[in-house]
Amino acid sequence: MNRLLGYFFSPIHYLAFLFFLLIFHPIQWLCLKIGGYSAHKRSVDILNLFLVSTYYLIGCRVSFINPYEIPKGRSIIFVANHQSMFDVPAMIWFLRKYHVKFVSKIELTRGIPSVSFNLKHGGAANIDRKDPKQSISEILKLAKRMRDNHWSAAIFPEGTRSGDGVMKAFIPGGATTLMKKVPGALVVPVAIANSWKITRFGKYPLSFGEHMKITILKPLDTDGSSPEEILKDAETAIRNHIA
């Protein structure tokens, strides 16, 4: 039934998703030119609220569970598993008050309405996986922006999406570099569950009626631990939660 309903509702979702991407591209540009960073960020937050709302067109519920008091005004490194393209808009919306900037692949900065504009102008680190020197430079620039503005970062250390929901091993690199360069940042694991089920039949049809969950896990105690140990603790916490 999930697949059958998906054949009918997936085109409606995709059309609505594309509509919001197209309409917010010039809105982002206008907000950035007139109101600077604050106005641009607000437009991006609203865009992602609308994008998440399109999930309901395929019967997808989204739950955000946060039992912890995560401080504002402090840099935070959100370390999450990655299951599908549906993860990012939901994280941007639900974590909006923390000024989260993503570590993303540079290919996304070209040709995608709204998304590419935000990645280029919103403060993200856009890395070229084939160019280690460029990747490190981008991470260092993001670390500086985090220190200067008390921004936060979100990173998927698996390096790619786990299309079947089975977590891949976390790869030290961007996450550990951020921990070293922003030593005062709080490290918070984020467990994403069931997002992979939306695309379990591929991009078409999307699976109808899934329940995506984003859960904030206990912030990690970083005292006396190396970045590599902290990343391993985050991986273990996420793996145990979604298992």
Side-chain angles (χ1 to χ4, degrees):
M1 184 60 71
N2 302 70
R3 187 170 192 156
L4 181 62
L5 291 173
Y7 279 110
F8 179 78
F9 287 99
S10 295
I12 301 173
H13 158 77
Y14 279 129
L15 285 173
F17 198 93
L18 178 60
F19 171 78
F20 289 125
L21 290 181
L22 290 173
I23 200 70
F24 271 89
H25 192 93
I27 291 174
Q28 281 191 67
W29 180 88
L30 189 63
C31 288
L32 183 62
K33 294 298 180 183
I34 295 176
Y37 170 78
S38 295
H40 176 235
K41 181 187 180 302
R42 183 61 177 164
S43 71
V44 171
D45 290 344
I46 296 172
L47 163 64
N48 283 279
L49 169 61
F50 283 121
L51 294 181
V52 172
S53 73
T54 68
Y55 298 4
Y56 294 93
L57 296 174
I58 50 171
C60 174
R61 293 182 295 137
V62 184
S63 295
F64 178 71
I65 303 102
N66 179 15
Y68 302 99
E69 191 65 34
I70 307 298
K72 291 185 287 185
R74 176 183 176 182
S75 293
I76 299 167
I77 301 173
F78 293 98
V79 179
N81 62 311
H82 194 17
Q83 294 191 340
S84 78
M85 64 180 183
F86 292 89
D87 300 343
V88 177
M91 286 187 67
I92 293 175
W93 171 246
F94 289 115
L95 300 177
R96 61 192 180 279
K97 61 184 177 181
Y98 302 108
H99 294 259
V100 174
K101 311 303 172 188
F102 280 79
V103 178
S104 62
K105 54 186 181 181
I106 199 169
E107 291 84 353
L108 298 177
T109 63
R110 298 183 291 268
I112 308 175
S114 283
V115 173
S116 296
F117 186 92
N118 181 44
L119 289 176
K120 286 191 285 189
H121 301 284
N126 305 305
I127 63 173
D128 183 349
R129 295 176 180 175
K130 300 177 182 178
D131 186 345
K133 185 176 179 180
Q134 185 271 352
S135 298
I136 293 172
S137 175
E138 280 292 297
I139 295 293
L140 294 179
K141 290 176 185 176
L142 174 58
K144 184 179 186 303
R145 291 192 289 270
M146 292 173 66
R147 293 193 303 267
D148 292 346
N149 303 290
H150 301 295
W151 288 350
S152 298
I155 188 165
F156 301 117
E158 290 169 282
T160 188
R161 296 187 293 265
S162 57
D164 57 1
V166 178
M167 270 182 62
K168 297 175 171 63
F170 281 8
I171 303 170
T176 53
T177 300
L178 284 176
M179 293 177 200
K180 292 173 184 176
K181 297 301 179 180
V182 194
L186 181 66
V187 179
V188 178
V190 181
I192 299 174
N194 300 331
S195 146
W196 70 273
K197 291 182 179 180
I198 302 172
T199 55
R200 58 179 165 168
F201 305 127
K203 294 181 180 178
Y204 183 82
L206 299 171
S207 182
F208 186 90
E210 303 297 347
H211 184 189
M212 175 181 172
K213 296 180 180 180
I214 300 176
T215 305
I216 301 295
L217 304 181
K218 184 179 180 179
L220 298 177
D221 182 4
T222 60
D223 292 340
S225 299
S226 69
E228 290 75 18
E229 290 171 331
I230 297 167
L231 183 63
K232 189 64 179 178
D233 289 343
E235 178 184 355
T236 301
I238 296 169
R239 193 179 296 277
N240 289 342
H241 181 85
I242 66 175

